[in-house]
Amino acid sequence: YVFSESLAAVRRDNEWVYIDTIGNVVIRSPKAYSYNSVRSFHNGLAAVRLSTNGRWGFINKQGQLVIENIFLFPADFIKKTALQTDINGDKVLINMKGEVLLAEYRLEKPFNEGYAPVKGKFKEVQRASADEVLYGLVDSLGNMLIEPQFDRMGEFGSGLAPVLIGSQQSELIRFPSSSISTSYTGGKWTFVDKDRQIKFDPVFQEAHSFHQGLAAVKKNGHWGYINPQGEFVVKPDLMWAGDFHDHMAVVRLGENAGAYRGRFAYMDTDGDVFYVLEP
């Protein structure tokens, strides 16, 4: 591994150790167990997988195991919290003491721009209740910014998250895997900021998260792209619109494309189509 916080993990004599910048071994596993795998240091902690049970915990720069090895997969600490995968396969947010934050909620999507959508925990019933499928918003420190109240919510981007309001939910069935099948009828999409402010009128049939300053939205049966001010940068005349990555998105052309209607193409963030894919 490359050096991180003046330490680097290396494999030496069939064991993982950490060395300083002049090559001295400063951390090695205790005699009682070994490190099967290791990660680099971030915010003073490094993830290590112990030979005793094959699970991950965290050590400090003195080599002390400060967070118990109970995780299936590790994640680095960012802003003093980390989203880990526990022994049930669920995502849990922990602080640098290993304490689980937001224990009463389920994290539904990854943190983006420091925020993530959450739902309430399942109760011990087979059929989920309505309040168990509503979305709220938390920050990466575990603070609840918006109590669960939206029918659906996408990832945060450009300071906003798409939300569905006013729909009717059905088929709220709990499965052993803790996933649910939920269908929605009616309702409209809009966008909300971290201060609970609805930014635009709920007029969209569908809405994606913002990527590179633009969000794909569906209005009156057609897709287009809006900016964070709610203005259409690409008018809604597309049959489908994907998210932007590296300033490019795949779209399905609409009526204005003439003979190319229904064809997939690449579009840039200026709304220019420059390559039509073969049918």
Side-chain angles (χ1 to χ4, degrees), residues 160 189-192 197-204 210 226-231:
L160 300 171
W189 287 84
T190 182
F191 288 81
V192 66
Q197 297 298 313
I198 300 293
K199 302 303 292 183
F200 323 123
D201 292 334
V203 297
F204 304 119
F210 277 92
I226 61 170
N227 61 22
Q229 290 72 49
E231 303 163 333

Side-chain angles (χ1 to χ4, degrees), residues 112-113 155-162 191 200 208-217 225-230 243-244:
N112 195 32
E113 297 185 2
E155 292 183 15
F156 222 74
S158 296
L160 300 171
F191 288 81
F200 323 123
H208 293 180
S209 300
F210 277 92
H211 292 266
Q212 298 188 311
L214 296 176
V217 295
Y225 292 95
I226 61 170
N227 61 22
Q229 290 72 49
D243 297 328
F244 279 97

Side-chain angles (χ1 to χ4, degrees), residues 97-152:
K97 295 180 181 179
E99 299 167 333
V100 175
L101 307 177
L102 300 164
E104 68 272 32
Y105 296 100
R106 293 172 288 144
L107 287 157
E108 292 297 310
K109 296 180 184 296
F111 280 92
N112 195 32
E113 297 185 2
Y115 306 98
V118 296
K119 290 182 181 179
K121 281 284 189 181
F122 282 119
K123 298 179 176 65
E124 293 301 319
V125 293
Q126 182 64 24
R127 181 175 291 274
S129 60
D131 64 339
E132 292 175 303
V133 296
L134 293 177
Y135 286 79
L137 188 72
V138 299
D139 66 17
S140 58
L141 297 178
N143 299 312
M144 178 61 66
L145 303 179
I146 303 177
E147 292 290 337
Q149 59 189 269
F150 299 111
D151 300 334
R152 295 177 67 185

